[in-house]
mmCIF file of all heavy atoms in Angstrom:
data_model
loop_
_atom_site.group_PDB
_atom_site.id
_atom_site.type_symbol
_atom_site.label_atom_id
_atom_site.label_comp_id
_atom_site.label_asym_id
_atom_site.label_seq_id
_atom_site.Cartn_x
_atom_site.Cartn_y
_atom_site.Cartn_z
ATOM 1 N N ASP A 1 0.565 6.073 -11.223
ATOM 2 C CA ASP A 1 0.037 6.391 -12.578
ATOM 3 C C ASP A 1 -0.511 5.139 -13.234
ATOM 4 O O ASP A 1 -1.556 5.138 -13.890
ATOM 5 C CB ASP A 1 1.075 6.991 -13.457
ATOM 6 C CG ASP A 1 1.396 8.484 -13.098
ATOM 7 O OD1 ASP A 1 0.569 9.078 -12.359
ATOM 8 O OD2 ASP A 1 2.447 8.968 -13.467
ATOM 9 N N LYS A 2 0.184 3.986 -13.073
ATOM 10 C CA LYS A 2 -0.259 2.702 -13.721
ATOM 11 C C LYS A 2 -1.589 2.330 -13.035
ATOM 12 O O LYS A 2 -2.444 1.796 -13.762
ATOM 13 C CB LYS A 2 0.839 1.665 -13.529
ATOM 14 C CG LYS A 2 0.511 0.290 -14.201
ATOM 15 C CD LYS A 2 1.660 -0.653 -14.097
ATOM 16 C CE LYS A 2 1.367 -1.930 -14.699
ATOM 17 N NZ LYS A 2 2.533 -2.880 -14.664
ATOM 18 N N LEU A 3 -1.641 2.433 -11.761
ATOM 19 C CA LEU A 3 -2.854 2.041 -11.022
ATOM 20 C C LEU A 3 -4.078 2.955 -11.423
ATOM 21 O O LEU A 3 -5.209 2.518 -11.485
ATOM 22 C CB LEU A 3 -2.584 1.949 -9.532
ATOM 23 C CG LEU A 3 -1.693 0.880 -9.111
ATOM 24 C CD1 LEU A 3 -1.184 1.067 -7.693
ATOM 25 C CD2 LEU A 3 -2.312 -0.502 -9.229
ATOM 26 N N TYR A 4 -3.726 4.235 -11.643
ATOM 27 C CA TYR A 4 -4.794 5.099 -12.039
ATOM 28 C C TYR A 4 -5.366 4.719 -13.450
ATOM 29 O O TYR A 4 -6.544 4.936 -13.727
ATOM 30 C CB TYR A 4 -4.307 6.528 -12.002
ATOM 31 C CG TYR A 4 -4.218 7.213 -10.762
ATOM 32 C CD1 TYR A 4 -3.426 8.336 -10.532
ATOM 33 C CD2 TYR A 4 -4.931 6.759 -9.623
ATOM 34 C CE1 TYR A 4 -3.319 8.969 -9.359
ATOM 35 C CE2 TYR A 4 -4.823 7.315 -8.385
ATOM 36 C CZ TYR A 4 -4.052 8.430 -8.207
ATOM 37 O OH TYR A 4 -3.932 9.106 -7.026
ATOM 38 N N ARG A 5 -4.408 4.227 -14.275
ATOM 39 C CA ARG A 5 -4.966 3.752 -15.614
ATOM 40 C C ARG A 5 -5.822 2.522 -15.429
ATOM 41 O O ARG A 5 -6.840 2.340 -16.180
ATOM 42 C CB ARG A 5 -3.749 3.419 -16.566
ATOM 43 C CG ARG A 5 -3.002 4.725 -16.975
ATOM 44 C CD ARG A 5 -2.080 4.415 -18.135
ATOM 45 N NE ARG A 5 -0.987 3.509 -17.770
ATOM 46 C CZ ARG A 5 0.183 3.939 -17.236
ATOM 47 N NH1 ARG A 5 0.380 5.244 -17.050
ATOM 48 N NH2 ARG A 5 1.170 3.138 -16.919
ATOM 49 N N LEU A 6 -5.516 1.684 -14.502
ATOM 50 C CA LEU A 6 -6.400 0.521 -14.211
ATOM 51 C C LEU A 6 -7.707 0.926 -13.632
ATOM 52 O O LEU A 6 -8.740 0.320 -13.913
ATOM 53 C CB LEU A 6 -5.668 -0.508 -13.295
ATOM 54 C CG LEU A 6 -4.518 -1.315 -13.925
ATOM 55 C CD1 LEU A 6 -3.852 -2.179 -12.774
ATOM 56 C CD2 LEU A 6 -5.081 -2.240 -14.938
ATOM 57 N N PHE A 7 -7.630 1.846 -12.707
ATOM 58 C CA PHE A 7 -8.798 2.300 -11.962
ATOM 59 C C PHE A 7 -9.005 3.778 -12.062
ATOM 60 O O PHE A 7 -8.639 4.645 -11.234
ATOM 61 C CB PHE A 7 -8.663 1.929 -10.470
ATOM 62 C CG PHE A 7 -8.633 0.469 -10.155
ATOM 63 C CD1 PHE A 7 -7.520 -0.015 -9.385
ATOM 64 C CD2 PHE A 7 -9.597 -0.430 -10.566
ATOM 65 C CE1 PHE A 7 -7.545 -1.447 -9.129
ATOM 66 C CE2 PHE A 7 -9.604 -1.729 -10.296
ATOM 67 C CZ PHE A 7 -8.552 -2.244 -9.567
ATOM 68 N N PRO A 8 -9.617 4.214 -13.217
ATOM 69 C CA PRO A 8 -9.760 5.711 -13.484
ATOM 70 C C PRO A 8 -10.556 6.384 -12.332
ATOM 71 O O PRO A 8 -10.382 7.571 -12.069
ATOM 72 C CB PRO A 8 -10.503 5.793 -14.772
ATOM 73 C CG PRO A 8 -10.148 4.467 -15.460
ATOM 74 C CD PRO A 8 -10.053 3.453 -14.343
ATOM 75 N N ASN A 9 -11.466 5.645 -11.675
ATOM 76 C CA ASN A 9 -12.232 6.263 -10.584
ATOM 77 C C ASN A 9 -11.280 6.809 -9.530
ATOM 78 O O ASN A 9 -11.585 7.871 -8.891
ATOM 79 C CB ASN A 9 -13.194 5.222 -9.965
ATOM 80 C CG ASN A 9 -14.237 4.701 -10.845
ATOM 81 O OD1 ASN A 9 -13.843 4.172 -11.938
ATOM 82 N ND2 ASN A 9 -15.492 4.781 -10.544
ATOM 83 N N LEU A 10 -10.220 6.142 -9.243
ATOM 84 C CA LEU A 10 -9.291 6.554 -8.253
ATOM 85 C C LEU A 10 -8.550 7.855 -8.596
ATOM 86 O O LEU A 10 -8.330 8.730 -7.749
ATOM 87 C CB LEU A 10 -8.278 5.418 -7.879
ATOM 88 C CG LEU A 10 -8.831 4.154 -7.341
ATOM 89 C CD1 LEU A 10 -7.728 3.198 -6.938
ATOM 90 C CD2 LEU A 10 -9.761 4.400 -6.093
ATOM 91 N N GLU A 11 -8.261 7.936 -9.836
ATOM 92 C CA GLU A 11 -7.585 9.194 -10.282
ATOM 93 C C GLU A 11 -8.480 10.365 -10.147
ATOM 94 O O GLU A 11 -8.112 11.472 -9.750
ATOM 95 C CB GLU A 11 -7.092 9.047 -11.685
ATOM 96 C CG GLU A 11 -6.332 10.343 -12.204
ATOM 97 C CD GLU A 11 -5.690 10.135 -13.516
ATOM 98 O OE1 GLU A 11 -6.105 9.225 -14.289
ATOM 99 O OE2 GLU A 11 -4.716 10.941 -13.841
ATOM 100 N N THR A 12 -9.801 10.144 -10.523
ATOM 101 C CA THR A 12 -10.744 11.210 -10.414
ATOM 102 C C THR A 12 -10.900 11.693 -8.952
ATOM 103 O O THR A 12 -11.101 12.943 -8.679
ATOM 104 C CB THR A 12 -12.148 10.731 -10.872
ATOM 105 O OG1 THR A 12 -12.008 10.358 -12.274
ATOM 106 C CG2 THR A 12 -13.186 11.818 -10.703
ATOM 107 N N ARG A 13 -10.754 10.781 -8.018
ATOM 108 C CA ARG A 13 -10.909 11.109 -6.603
ATOM 109 C C ARG A 13 -9.622 11.090 -5.780
ATOM 110 O O ARG A 13 -9.609 10.913 -4.582
ATOM 111 C CB ARG A 13 -11.937 10.077 -5.985
ATOM 112 C CG ARG A 13 -13.202 9.918 -6.832
ATOM 113 C CD ARG A 13 -14.316 9.233 -6.142
ATOM 114 N NE ARG A 13 -14.906 10.133 -5.115
ATOM 115 C CZ ARG A 13 -16.004 9.860 -4.453
ATOM 116 N NH1 ARG A 13 -16.586 8.715 -4.620
ATOM 117 N NH2 ARG A 13 -16.476 10.668 -3.540
ATOM 118 N N ARG A 14 -8.589 11.310 -6.512
ATOM 119 C CA ARG A 14 -7.187 11.206 -5.863
ATOM 120 C C ARG A 14 -7.004 12.051 -4.655
ATOM 121 O O ARG A 14 -6.214 11.698 -3.745
ATOM 122 C CB ARG A 14 -6.159 11.502 -6.948
ATOM 123 C CG ARG A 14 -6.158 12.885 -7.475
ATOM 124 C CD ARG A 14 -5.348 13.000 -8.713
ATOM 125 N NE ARG A 14 -3.900 12.706 -8.496
ATOM 126 C CZ ARG A 14 -3.047 12.582 -9.495
ATOM 127 N NH1 ARG A 14 -3.366 12.719 -10.712
ATOM 128 N NH2 ARG A 14 -1.779 12.279 -9.214
ATOM 129 N N HIS A 15 -7.693 13.202 -4.574
ATOM 130 C CA HIS A 15 -7.509 14.148 -3.518
ATOM 131 C C HIS A 15 -8.594 14.040 -2.398
ATOM 132 O O HIS A 15 -8.597 14.842 -1.483
ATOM 133 C CB HIS A 15 -7.441 15.597 -3.979
ATOM 134 C CG HIS A 15 -6.260 15.769 -4.956
ATOM 135 N ND1 HIS A 15 -4.942 15.487 -4.614
ATOM 136 C CD2 HIS A 15 -6.237 16.203 -6.277
ATOM 137 C CE1 HIS A 15 -4.139 15.768 -5.640
ATOM 138 N NE2 HIS A 15 -4.920 16.230 -6.625
ATOM 139 N N GLN A 16 -9.445 13.018 -2.592
ATOM 140 C CA GLN A 16 -10.525 12.855 -1.539
ATOM 141 C C GLN A 16 -10.156 11.814 -0.571
ATOM 142 O O GLN A 16 -9.391 10.859 -0.901
ATOM 143 C CB GLN A 16 -11.852 12.443 -2.299
ATOM 144 C CG GLN A 16 -12.331 13.541 -3.193
ATOM 145 C CD GLN A 16 -13.704 13.222 -3.811
ATOM 146 O OE1 GLN A 16 -14.397 12.307 -3.347
ATOM 147 N NE2 GLN A 16 -14.082 13.947 -4.790
ATOM 148 N N ARG A 17 -10.672 11.916 0.642
ATOM 149 C CA ARG A 17 -10.376 10.957 1.648
ATOM 150 C C ARG A 17 -10.990 9.616 1.397
ATOM 151 O O ARG A 17 -12.085 9.537 0.801
ATOM 152 C CB ARG A 17 -10.836 11.497 3.023
ATOM 153 C CG ARG A 17 -10.055 12.710 3.507
ATOM 154 C CD ARG A 17 -10.435 13.110 4.902
ATOM 155 N NE ARG A 17 -9.693 14.278 5.348
ATOM 156 C CZ ARG A 17 -9.721 14.785 6.604
ATOM 157 N NH1 ARG A 17 -10.535 14.214 7.490
ATOM 158 N NH2 ARG A 17 -9.015 15.839 6.924
ATOM 159 N N GLY A 18 -10.324 8.580 1.876
ATOM 160 C CA GLY A 18 -10.788 7.224 1.640
ATOM 161 C C GLY A 18 -12.190 6.964 2.221
ATOM 162 O O GLY A 18 -12.968 6.175 1.725
ATOM 163 N N SER A 19 -12.500 7.691 3.313
ATOM 164 C CA SER A 19 -13.787 7.492 3.981
ATOM 165 C C SER A 19 -15.021 7.868 3.128
ATOM 166 O O SER A 19 -16.124 7.436 3.405
ATOM 167 C CB SER A 19 -13.775 8.191 5.340
ATOM 168 O OG SER A 19 -13.601 9.626 5.117
ATOM 169 N N VAL A 20 -14.799 8.681 2.145
ATOM 170 C CA VAL A 20 -15.918 9.151 1.321
ATOM 171 C C VAL A 20 -16.137 8.370 0.028
ATOM 172 O O VAL A 20 -17.023 8.623 -0.723
ATOM 173 C CB VAL A 20 -15.833 10.706 0.970
ATOM 174 C CG1 VAL A 20 -15.643 11.501 2.242
ATOM 175 C CG2 VAL A 20 -14.681 10.899 -0.023
ATOM 176 N N LEU A 21 -15.224 7.371 -0.209
ATOM 177 C CA LEU A 21 -15.346 6.589 -1.403
ATOM 178 C C LEU A 21 -16.506 5.598 -1.274
ATOM 179 O O LEU A 21 -16.900 5.179 -0.249
ATOM 180 C CB LEU A 21 -14.075 5.771 -1.634
ATOM 181 C CG LEU A 21 -12.794 6.560 -1.825
ATOM 182 C CD1 LEU A 21 -11.600 5.660 -2.074
ATOM 183 C CD2 LEU A 21 -12.853 7.620 -2.913
ATOM 184 N N SER A 22 -17.067 5.131 -2.417
ATOM 185 C CA SER A 22 -17.999 4.093 -2.421
ATOM 186 C C SER A 22 -17.344 2.804 -2.075
ATOM 187 O O SER A 22 -16.107 2.680 -2.076
ATOM 188 C CB SER A 22 -18.665 4.003 -3.813
ATOM 189 O OG SER A 22 -17.776 3.480 -4.765
ATOM 190 N N GLY A 23 -18.148 1.746 -1.790
ATOM 191 C CA GLY A 23 -17.600 0.420 -1.435
ATOM 192 C C GLY A 23 -16.708 -0.080 -2.563
ATOM 193 O O GLY A 23 -15.593 -0.651 -2.329
ATOM 194 N N GLY A 24 -17.167 0.060 -3.790
ATOM 195 C CA GLY A 24 -16.301 -0.448 -4.876
ATOM 196 C C GLY A 24 -15.070 0.307 -5.107
ATOM 197 O O GLY A 24 -13.970 -0.260 -5.364
ATOM 198 N N GLU A 25 -15.097 1.639 -4.897
ATOM 199 C CA GLU A 25 -13.937 2.426 -4.994
ATOM 200 C C GLU A 25 -12.964 2.134 -3.848
ATOM 201 O O GLU A 25 -11.725 2.053 -4.072
ATOM 202 C CB GLU A 25 -14.249 3.905 -4.975
ATOM 203 C CG GLU A 25 -14.928 4.346 -6.287
ATOM 204 C CD GLU A 25 -15.603 5.723 -6.131
ATOM 205 O OE1 GLU A 25 -15.891 6.156 -4.985
ATOM 206 O OE2 GLU A 25 -15.839 6.331 -7.219
ATOM 207 N N GLN A 26 -13.440 1.867 -2.673
ATOM 208 C CA GLN A 26 -12.605 1.415 -1.532
ATOM 209 C C GLN A 26 -11.917 0.121 -1.829
ATOM 210 O O GLN A 26 -10.759 -0.068 -1.482
ATOM 211 C CB GLN A 26 -13.418 1.372 -0.269
ATOM 212 C CG GLN A 26 -13.818 2.714 0.316
ATOM 213 C CD GLN A 26 -14.484 2.584 1.680
ATOM 214 O OE1 GLN A 26 -14.563 1.526 2.243
ATOM 215 N NE2 GLN A 26 -14.964 3.705 2.194
ATOM 216 N N GLN A 27 -12.652 -0.782 -2.450
ATOM 217 C CA GLN A 27 -12.007 -2.096 -2.819
ATOM 218 C C GLN A 27 -10.920 -1.910 -3.891
ATOM 219 O O GLN A 27 -9.843 -2.494 -3.808
ATOM 220 C CB GLN A 27 -13.028 -3.148 -3.280
ATOM 221 C CG GLN A 27 -12.512 -4.503 -3.446
ATOM 222 C CD GLN A 27 -12.073 -5.090 -2.153
ATOM 223 O OE1 GLN A 27 -10.876 -4.968 -1.793
ATOM 224 N NE2 GLN A 27 -12.943 -5.786 -1.482
ATOM 225 N N MET A 28 -11.145 -1.014 -4.829
ATOM 226 C CA MET A 28 -10.170 -0.679 -5.785
ATOM 227 C C MET A 28 -8.900 -0.188 -5.166
ATOM 228 O O MET A 28 -7.762 -0.490 -5.488
ATOM 229 C CB MET A 28 -10.718 0.267 -6.889
ATOM 230 C CG MET A 28 -11.745 -0.288 -7.757
ATOM 231 S SD MET A 28 -12.418 1.004 -8.861
ATOM 232 C CE MET A 28 -13.585 0.099 -9.775
ATOM 233 N N LEU A 29 -9.164 0.753 -4.162
ATOM 234 C CA LEU A 29 -8.011 1.341 -3.469
ATOM 235 C C LEU A 29 -7.224 0.308 -2.597
ATOM 236 O O LEU A 29 -6.069 0.355 -2.554
ATOM 237 C CB LEU A 29 -8.565 2.498 -2.538
ATOM 238 C CG LEU A 29 -7.539 3.268 -1.733
ATOM 239 C CD1 LEU A 29 -6.429 3.828 -2.593
ATOM 240 C CD2 LEU A 29 -8.212 4.373 -0.904
ATOM 241 N N ALA A 30 -8.053 -0.571 -1.999
ATOM 242 C CA ALA A 30 -7.352 -1.613 -1.143
ATOM 243 C C ALA A 30 -6.425 -2.480 -2.040
ATOM 244 O O ALA A 30 -5.317 -2.768 -1.650
ATOM 245 C CB ALA A 30 -8.346 -2.449 -0.496
ATOM 246 N N ILE A 31 -6.893 -2.903 -3.235
ATOM 247 C CA ILE A 31 -6.129 -3.692 -4.145
ATOM 248 C C ILE A 31 -4.927 -2.893 -4.632
ATOM 249 O O ILE A 31 -3.768 -3.322 -4.661
ATOM 250 C CB ILE A 31 -7.001 -4.226 -5.324
ATOM 251 C CG1 ILE A 31 -8.059 -5.163 -4.804
ATOM 252 C CG2 ILE A 31 -6.108 -4.832 -6.375
ATOM 253 C CD1 ILE A 31 -9.022 -5.563 -5.835
ATOM 254 N N SER A 32 -5.184 -1.631 -5.000
ATOM 255 C CA SER A 32 -4.075 -0.760 -5.508
ATOM 256 C C SER A 32 -2.992 -0.536 -4.415
ATOM 257 O O SER A 32 -1.831 -0.516 -4.691
ATOM 258 C CB SER A 32 -4.618 0.542 -5.964
ATOM 259 O OG SER A 32 -5.542 0.438 -7.045
ATOM 260 N N ARG A 33 -3.457 -0.367 -3.163
ATOM 261 C CA ARG A 33 -2.524 -0.120 -2.063
ATOM 262 C C ARG A 33 -1.627 -1.382 -1.932
ATOM 263 O O ARG A 33 -0.415 -1.213 -1.687
ATOM 264 C CB ARG A 33 -3.265 0.153 -0.758
ATOM 265 C CG ARG A 33 -2.339 0.497 0.396
ATOM 266 C CD ARG A 33 -3.193 0.744 1.658
ATOM 267 N NE ARG A 33 -3.929 -0.388 2.030
ATOM 268 C CZ ARG A 33 -4.749 -0.345 3.107
ATOM 269 N NH1 ARG A 33 -4.935 0.662 3.856
ATOM 270 N NH2 ARG A 33 -5.486 -1.502 3.435
ATOM 271 N N ALA A 34 -2.149 -2.538 -2.049
ATOM 272 C CA ALA A 34 -1.334 -3.781 -1.909
ATOM 273 C C ALA A 34 -0.370 -3.857 -3.041
ATOM 274 O O ALA A 34 0.781 -4.241 -2.878
ATOM 275 C CB ALA A 34 -2.261 -4.994 -1.916
ATOM 276 N N LEU A 35 -0.799 -3.502 -4.250
ATOM 277 C CA LEU A 35 0.073 -3.552 -5.417
ATOM 278 C C LEU A 35 1.177 -2.489 -5.288
ATOM 279 O O LEU A 35 2.277 -2.765 -5.839
ATOM 280 C CB LEU A 35 -0.716 -3.384 -6.672
ATOM 281 C CG LEU A 35 -1.624 -4.529 -7.079
ATOM 282 C CD1 LEU A 35 -2.498 -4.170 -8.283
ATOM 283 C CD2 LEU A 35 -0.815 -5.763 -7.401
ATOM 284 N N MET A 36 0.893 -1.382 -4.640
ATOM 285 C CA MET A 36 1.983 -0.371 -4.504
ATOM 286 C C MET A 36 3.131 -0.941 -3.666
ATOM 287 O O MET A 36 4.266 -0.370 -3.747
ATOM 288 C CB MET A 36 1.421 0.849 -3.817
ATOM 289 C CG MET A 36 0.689 1.797 -4.754
ATOM 290 S SD MET A 36 1.750 2.529 -6.048
ATOM 291 C CE MET A 36 2.869 3.500 -5.049
ATOM 292 N N GLY A 37 2.941 -1.977 -2.913
ATOM 293 C CA GLY A 37 4.029 -2.637 -2.210
ATOM 294 C C GLY A 37 4.857 -3.491 -3.092
ATOM 295 O O GLY A 37 5.811 -4.148 -2.674
ATOM 296 N N ASN A 38 4.553 -3.552 -4.452
ATOM 297 C CA ASN A 38 5.229 -4.341 -5.417
ATOM 298 C C ASN A 38 5.437 -5.752 -4.861
ATOM 299 O O ASN A 38 6.599 -6.254 -4.805
ATOM 300 C CB ASN A 38 6.568 -3.703 -5.766
ATOM 301 C CG ASN A 38 6.368 -2.550 -6.787
ATOM 302 O OD1 ASN A 38 5.895 -2.712 -7.899
ATOM 303 N ND2 ASN A 38 6.723 -1.318 -6.324
#
């Protein structure tokens, strides 16, 4: 939820596969995934 607040695009596309995201959205997801490891 915290990461979705930082990157609203990801919340909008939360149920879509990573392969269909734009390059910018994929980078947001890569950063968010690293942060999920706390």
Side-chain angles (χ1 to χ4, degrees):
D1 287 342
K2 183 175 181 178
L3 291 166
Y4 283 162
R5 288 194 294 273
L6 284 176
F7 295 126
N9 299 56
L10 296 185
E11 182 173 23
T12 300
R13 310 195 73 174
R14 63 194 299 171
H15 299 304
Q16 297 186 15
R17 293 187 179 185
S19 59
V20 305
L21 303 182
S22 70
E25 290 167 340
Q26 288 187 4
Q27 190 61 272
M28 292 176 180
L29 180 56
I31 293 171
S32 297
R33 185 180 61 182
L35 290 173
M36 278 298 294
N38 283 298

